[in-house]
Amino acid sequence: MANIPEHVHSDYERLKDELNQHNHRYYVLDDPSVPDAEYDRQMRQLQEIESQYPSLKTSDSPSQRVGGEALSAFTQVRHDVAMLSLDNAFNQAELEDFDRRVKDRLNYAALKDAPEIEYACEPKLDGVAVSLLYRDGLLVRGATRGDGTVGEDITANVRTINSIPLKLVSSDIPSLLEVRGEIYLPRAGFEALNAKAIASGEKAFVNPRNAAAGSLRQLNSKITASRPLEMCAYSVGQFVAETSPDSHLNMLQTLAGWGFKINEHMQVVSGIAACEDYYQTLAERRDGLAYDIDGIVYKVNDLRLQERLGFVAKAPRWAIARKFPAQEEMTQLLDVEFQVGRTGAVTPVARLEPVFVGGVTVSNATLHNGDEIQRLGVYIGDSVIIRRAGDVIPQIAKVVLEKRPANARPIVFPERCPVCESAVVRAEGEAVARCSGGLFCGAQIKQAIKHFASRRAMDIDGLGDKLVDLLVDRGVIFSVADLYDLKVEQLVGLERLAEKSAANLVAAIQASKETSLAKFFYSLGIREVGETTGHTLANNFGSLEAVIAADAEALLEVDDIGPIVAGHIVDFFRNPDNLSIIQALRDAGVAWPDIDQSAQASQPLKGQTWVLTGGMDIMSRAEAKDRLQELGAKVAGSVSAKTAQLVAGPGAGSKLTRAQSLEIPIMDEAEFIEFLKKV
Ligand code: 5U1
C-alpha cells in the first residue's frame, strides 16, 4: 500500500464512514440524512477508489452490500454460546404458570412483600434467527441457528442486508460481540417480490418467512442483495467488553447505539397482568404492522435474575413466547364463484370449508384472476393452505397436492358474464377479465350504485347493499341518477322498510345532493380514481366541465396522475351514457361549489404529508382528512421522516412514539382545529 497516496486513504475512510452512517439513518432509523442522488454519488466515488486500489478494500466497505462471488456450499459454524429456543404459552393461564415458576425459582413466595417481576415484552418476528459475530467492531461472521449448536455460515448474505451494521458505530465498542436476532421480510417487500416473481413466470413464495429463509439460503449473495430483507436484534451471545448492561432493556438500547435495529414496540412492564395487556394491545395492532409476527416474547428484564433462573434443555427459564392464533391453516376448496365488480372485473372467489385463521373464521378467499388459478394449479376439492396476514384479504397460498382427491375438478373461467351473459373479455397485457356488458350488466349497475352511496362518496345513510340489489333486480332503478326520483311508497315494504325508515332514506338521498366536487369525482366510480385522485382533480381543475374537457395531455400535467389513470378518466367522460347520467344527476339537483382557481394557486399545505392518529372527539377522522386534502396535503397512514405533521389524539401509540423519535411536529385535536381556523 506504500504507493497509495495518503489523501486517497483518508478519502476512502471518510467515504466508508459517511456511507455507513447514511445507511444507518436510512435503513435503521428510517430518517434519511442525504438525498438518494448524493448517496449514489458517494458510492460511485468509493467504488472508483476500490477499482483503482483494490488492496484498500475492507470488509466494512458499503460496496459489499451488493453481493459477491457465488459460493459452492455453505460451511458449518459452531456456536460457542448455544442459540436458544423459546418455550411457548398458548393462553393466559400458561403465561401465569410461567410467572409462578419464575417467582418460585427466585424464592419470591418466601418473601413477605415480594415485588412483581419486570418483564421486557417484544413482538416475536416471523423470520429466520441469525447470529452475527463482531470482532473489534467489525462484522466477521453471520450464521444461521441450525440445531442451536451448529449452524451454517451465511456471512456473504448477511453483509448485503442494509440494516445490519458492517462496523459498529460509536467509540465504546466491545472487543467481541455476538448479536442474535431475526432476519425477516417486511410485508410490502414480500408483496413486491412475489409480484415480480409472478410477472416473470416464477413460483411465488408462500409467506414472508419462507421468502426470507429462501433468500438467505442463496449461494449467490447477489440474489440475497436483491431481496429487501431486514434484521432486528433481540439478544447477545458472546460478549466481551469493559462494562456490561444490567437489564435486557439496557442491552437492547446499547445494541441500538451500536447501529442495530431493535423493535419499536419493545416495552418493559411490571407483573404478568401487564404482560397480558401488552399481548392484547399488540394483537389489535398486529394486522397493521409492516411485518408478520407470530406472538409476543416475554423476558425477565433483570439480567442478574436471568442468570439465577438459568436454562432447561435448550430454552431459558427466564423467557417465554405467547403465541398468536396461526395465520395459516389448511382447509378444503368447496367451489369457485365468479363475481362481477363495479368496473366489470370478473373475480374468482373461493368458497372454503370454514376454517379459523389468524383469529377469524374464513369461508371465502379471493383467487384474483385466471392467471392466479393457473399459477396455483388449484382444483375444486383440493386441500389448500389459507393465509390471512395483515389487513389483506385471505389468500390461498398453496395447494397440498398430496391430498388431492380423485374427484377433484379443474376450475373453468367463464366466457360469458355470470350475471348478464355478455362476453367476458381480457384486454391484451391485462390480468383481469371483464364483463363487456357495461351499464347493461346488473352486477356493474349494483356495484356502481353501492359505491356512489357509500360513506366516503355521496354518504347516503340507510341505502344498504341488499336494498340496492332489490331495487335493481326489481327494475325500480337503473342508474345512480334514478335514486333521486325514489318515492317513499316505492320503498316501503322492501327489506322490511317501514314508512318512517323509507322517509328517512328519501330524505338522506335528497340531503346528499349537496356535495363537494372531489367527492363527486370519487362517487362516479371511474377506474382507479380513489378519494385522493378525486381531490387532485378538484383542486387542479376547479370544475367538472374543466375535467370533462381535459384531454390526456392536460391530465398528465397534474402531479400524481399517470398515463393509466389519465386514460381511464378520458374514457369515462367520452362515454355518452356516463355523460347523460351526470346530466341527470345535475338536473336532479346534485351540486357543489366550484373551486376558485386563484385560491388554489396558494394551497397552503401542497406538497406536505400529514398523519392522523389516535382518537378525535370534536371532529371525525374523515372530516379531518377531507379538510387536509382540500388544503392540498396528502394524508398518509404511517409516519416517516417525510411526514410534515402528526395530529395525535388520545390513545395514540406507535405512530406517536415514532414521530417523537424522528422529531416530527405533533399537535393535538384542539391545536389542529385552531390551525384550520387560521389557514
Ligand atoms: N423478540 C424475540 N424473538 N426471540 C426469539 N426475542 C427472542 N428471543 C429468543 C428467540 C429465539 O431467544 C432468546 C432466548 C434469546
Side-chain angles (χ1 to χ4, degrees):
M1 278 197 216
N3 49 2
I4 301 175
E6 190 45 45
H7 73 90
V8 174
H9 269 289
S10 56
D11 281 355
Y12 184 63
E13 290 304 318
R14 178 185 52 79
L15 281 166
K16 270 194 320 187
D17 276 354
E18 284 184 14
L19 282 161
N20 277 330
Q21 272 172 33
H22 299 329
N23 217 65
H24 179 241
R25 288 280 296 264
Y26 190 94
Y27 290 102
V28 178
L29 304 180
D30 194 11
D31 179 21
S33 47
V34 289
D36 292 356
E38 173 61 13
Y39 181 90
D40 293 345
R41 195 185 59 75
Q42 292 191 352
M43 182 62 96
R44 274 197 305 277
Q45 272 185 357
L46 181 92
Q47 285 166 330
E48 270 163 33
I49 297 179
E50 286 181 348
S51 72
Q52 214 177 340
Y53 304 102
S55 62
L56 270 185
K57 199 164 169 175
T58 54
S59 66
D60 63 334
S61 167
S63 66
Q64 308 276 307
R65 303 268 190 210
V66 296
E69 297 285 300
L71 303 173
S72 53
F74 294 118
T75 52
Q76 290 204 325
V77 165
R78 177 163 286 278
H79 299 297
D80 286 336
V81 174
M83 285 185 78
L84 302 170
S85 54
L86 289 163
D87 275 342
N88 292 323
F90 291 95
N91 52 46
Q92 193 184 346
E94 289 179 7
L95 198 61
E96 285 166 2
D97 287 345
F98 162 74
D99 182 53
R100 241 186 313 277
R101 285 196 301 274
V102 166
K103 285 178 172 164
D104 284 351
R105 200 139 191 117
L106 294 172
N107 287 326
Y108 274 30
L111 297 178
K112 208 163 150 261
D113 287 315
E116 284 293 359
I117 304 283
E118 268 198 353
Y119 288 107
C121 317
E122 57 200 62
K124 187 168 182 303
L125 299 182
D126 205 0
V128 180
V130 287
S131 181
L132 306 172
L133 189 69
Y134 290 80
R135 285 191 200 283
D136 296 323
L138 285 183
L139 173 65
V140 291
R141 194 187 73 190
T144 59
R145 180 176 183 281
D147 63 4
T149 312
V150 177
E152 281 181 324
D153 187 326
I154 52 165
T155 312
N157 290 347
V158 299
R159 280 195 204 288
T160 68
I161 299 172
N162 288 299
S163 47
I164 292 180
L166 298 175
K167 182 181 178 182
L168 303 183
V169 290
S170 125
S171 51
D172 191 14
I173 50 169
S175 55
L176 183 69
L177 172 70
E178 204 172 9
V179 176
R180 266 86 196 255
E182 204 83 355
I183 291 181
Y184 61 99
L185 198 58
R187 286 175 183 155
F190 168 71
E191 301 295 339
L193 184 63
N194 265 0
K196 227 161 88 187
I198 292 165
S200 52
E202 289 163 28
K203 231 172 145 241
F205 289 102
V206 175
N207 56 38
R209 179 178 12 91
N210 287 16
S215 303
L216 286 178
R217 225 177 285 121
Q218 297 294 329
L219 289 167
N220 180 351
S221 55
K222 289 203 164 73
I223 299 180
T224 314
S226 71
R227 309 276 167 86
L229 297 167
E230 292 188 12
M231 141 91 183
C232 182
Y234 56 62
S235 78
V236 295
Q238 300 180 80
F239 183 52
V240 180
E242 308 259 295
T243 53
S244 44
D246 57 3
S247 70
H248 181 71
L249 171 65
N250 214 227
M251 182 188 68
L252 289 189
Q253 286 168 335
T254 309
L255 290 178
W258 284 327
F260 291 93
K261 195 178 183 116
I262 58 168
N263 193 278
E264 72 271 29
H265 298 287
M266 194 272 161
Q267 201 182 318
V268 175
V269 304
S270 179
I272 209 70
C275 289
E276 181 61 19
D277 292 346
Y278 180 92
Y279 174 89
Q280 295 302 345
T281 309
L282 260 287
E284 276 164 32
R285 292 200 186 148
R286 182 186 188 190
D287 281 355
L289 296 180
Y291 40 79
D292 280 6
I293 61 174
D294 58 357
I296 301 294
V297 181
Y298 301 103
K299 293 174 186 160
V300 171
N301 188 38
D302 186 324
L303 296 187
R304 284 162 314 183
L305 295 186
Q306 283 192 7
E307 211 172 301
R308 278 174 58 193
L309 287 160
F311 309 88
V312 251
K314 286 185 173 180
R317 288 201 188 91
W318 41 263
I320 197 155
R322 166 96 198 261
K323 301 300 285 262
F324 283 133
Q327 289 191 304
E328 282 180 9
E329 287 294 345
M330 189 166 67
T331 189
Q332 200 189 12
L333 175 61
L334 302 177
D335 201 358
V336 173
E337 279 173 25
F338 292 86
Q339 286 182 349
V340 184
R342 179 161 54 87
T343 60
V346 179
T347 307
V349 178
R351 302 287 178 224
L352 305 162
E353 182 64 43
V355 63
F356 193 68
V357 200
V360 296
T361 300
V362 171
S363 37
N364 302 311
T366 177
L367 275 162
H368 300 291
N369 51 50
D371 287 352
E372 176 73 353
I373 294 174
Q374 275 217 317
R375 187 181 70 75
L376 287 165
V378 59
Y379 282 22
I380 294 168
D382 269 339
S383 290
V384 290
I385 305 290
I386 297 299
R387 177 170 165 75
R388 187 190 160 270
D391 35 20
V392 292
I393 33 182
Q395 316 269 331
I396 294 183
K398 197 174 165 220
V399 177
V400 187
L401 282 176
E402 311 84 79
K403 286 183 166 279
R404 176 167 287 170
N407 62 351
R409 57 196 161 91
I411 300 162
V412 182
F413 209 95
E415 289 176 5
R416 303 239 141 231
C417 170
V419 177
C420 72
E421 304 214 330
S422 303
V424 168
V425 288
R426 185 170 160 179
E428 220 183 284
E430 269 201 32
V432 177
R434 288 177 203 278
C435 157
S436 56
L439 292 174
F440 295 102
C441 175
Q444 290 183 54
I445 296 173
K446 285 176 187 172
Q447 296 302 332
I449 297 172
K450 289 172 194 172
H451 171 77
F452 183 83
S454 64
R455 205 170 52 78
R456 304 286 301 153
M458 299 297 275
D459 192 17
I460 303 177
D461 200 21
L463 187 62
D465 287 0
K466 284 199 181 137
L467 189 55
V468 172
D469 290 346
L470 263 182
L471 289 168
V472 174
D473 287 341
R474 296 198 176 179
V476 183
I477 58 174
F478 297 93
S479 81
V480 292
D482 296 336
L483 288 171
Y484 293 93
D485 295 330
L486 277 176
K487 307 275 179 301
V488 174
E489 313 79 82
Q490 291 174 288
L491 294 168
V492 172
L494 291 180
E495 267 294 293
R496 283 178 270 133
L497 226 53
E499 175 103 21
K500 177 114 193 346
S501 312
N504 286 345
L505 175 54
V506 170
I509 293 171
Q510 295 307 314
S512 75
K513 286 177 178 174
E514 202 179 304
T515 186
S516 71
L517 182 56
K519 275 190 195 296
F520 187 71
F521 281 131
Y522 172 59
S523 306
L524 290 174
I526 305 166
R527 268 175 74 184
E528 295 191 37
V529 174
E531 281 181 83
T532 307
T533 311
H535 277 280
T536 305
L537 287 172
N539 289 340
N540 284 278
F541 290 88
S543 71
L544 174 65
E545 290 69 27
V547 175
I548 294 178
D551 56 13
E553 219 168 74
L555 289 162
L556 281 169
E557 274 179 27
V558 177
D559 276 353
D560 299 335
I561 295 187
I564 293 178
V565 179
H568 291 325
I569 296 170
V570 169
D571 287 351
F572 185 90
F573 290 113
R574 294 263 160 87
N575 180 330
D577 291 332
N578 292 335
L579 291 177
S580 68
I581 289 173
I582 289 172
Q583 191 54 51
L585 287 169
R586 302 206 84 173
D587 292 345
V590 174
W592 52 84
D594 281 347
I595 295 169
D596 176 0
Q597 289 294 283
S598 58
Q600 284 311 298
S602 64
Q603 270 194 330
L605 305 185
K606 201 172 165 81
Q608 293 189 16
T609 303
W610 285 50
V611 175
L612 303 167
T613 189
M616 295 194 102
D617 296 329
I618 307 162
M619 194 178 216
S620 74
R621 180 78 79 92
E623 267 176 274
K625 188 174 173 194
D626 283 346
R627 287 288 291 126
L628 286 168
Q629 288 180 328
E630 279 160 20
L631 294 167
K634 271 192 190 167
V635 181
S638 61
V639 172
S640 77
K642 294 195 191 87
T643 307
Q645 177 77 47
L646 180 81
V647 181
S654 60
K655 287 180 197 165
L656 177 59
T657 327
R658 186 153 173 68
Q660 283 162 338
S661 71
L662 294 175
E663 294 179 9
I664 283 159
I666 297 162
M667 54 170 76
D668 62 19
E669 187 181 8
E671 289 167 326
F672 177 57
I673 289 169
E674 275 311 300
F675 169 83
L676 290 179
K677 282 184 195 155
K678 287 187 207 135
V679 284

